[in-house]
Amino acid sequence: MNIFVGSLPFSIEEADLRESFEAYGAVDSVKIISDKFTGRSKGFGFVEMPNDEEAQKAIDELNGATVQGRAIVVNKSEPKPEGERRSFNNNRGGDSRGGNRGGGYGDNRGGGNRGGY
């Protein structure tokens, strides 16, 4: 079972998270999500446990538990339906003109302090 773990302290390590879940059974993997630019934890992660009964017991007992002074959120991770996934490159500006915030179509060659044409 894939388990979502949120509200994690930014200083927690994957080994610490693994240890917390191993108290309830075998753990296949642990991944704390980090910002790709800064490398800093985003405060959430995922734990994969092969036995659903052990995973459910971990969820029941760790949800709301205090870890390094923070109450963590633990629940079964549900994949988002395909229709809800968003790409940063699709419809950037929120309208049919692409990501052009200047209001015009095409290149929006409006001078400004960029040197214009």
Side-chain angles (χ1 to χ4, degrees):
M1 177 185 296
N2 196 15
I3 302 167
F4 169 82
V5 187
S7 296
L8 288 170
F10 296 114
S11 60
I12 196 167
E13 302 280 334
E14 288 181 356
D16 299 326
L17 192 57
R18 176 181 290 274
E19 187 177 310
S20 296
F21 279 82
E22 283 179 336
Y24 299 94
V27 173
D28 283 344
S29 66
V30 175
K31 178 67 179 166
I32 294 176
I33 306 303
S34 59
D35 183 275
K36 68 179 178 179
F37 298 111
T38 65
R40 184 177 176 205
S41 167
K42 288 190 171 189
F44 70 93
F46 298 92
V47 176
E48 183 75 36
M49 296 181 74
N51 182 303
D52 287 352
E53 288 179 19
E54 292 172 349
Q56 189 59 55
K57 183 170 172 120
I59 290 169
D60 294 341
E61 295 195 18
L62 291 175
N63 188 37
T66 302
V67 176
Q68 295 179 10
R70 294 188 67 158
I72 62 171
V73 175
V74 182
N75 53 44
K76 183 177 177 183
S77 176
E78 299 290 342
K80 287 185 180 179
E82 281 299 315
E84 292 184 26
R85 293 182 189 262
R86 294 179 60 164
S87 170
F88 289 110
N89 293 328
N90 290 346
N91 201 15
R92 293 184 310 199
D95 63 21
S96 62
R97 291 174 270 165
N100 188 351
R101 295 183 188 169
Y105 291 90
D107 291 330
N108 190 23
R109 296 181 178 171
N113 62 1
R114 294 189 202 157
Y117 291 136

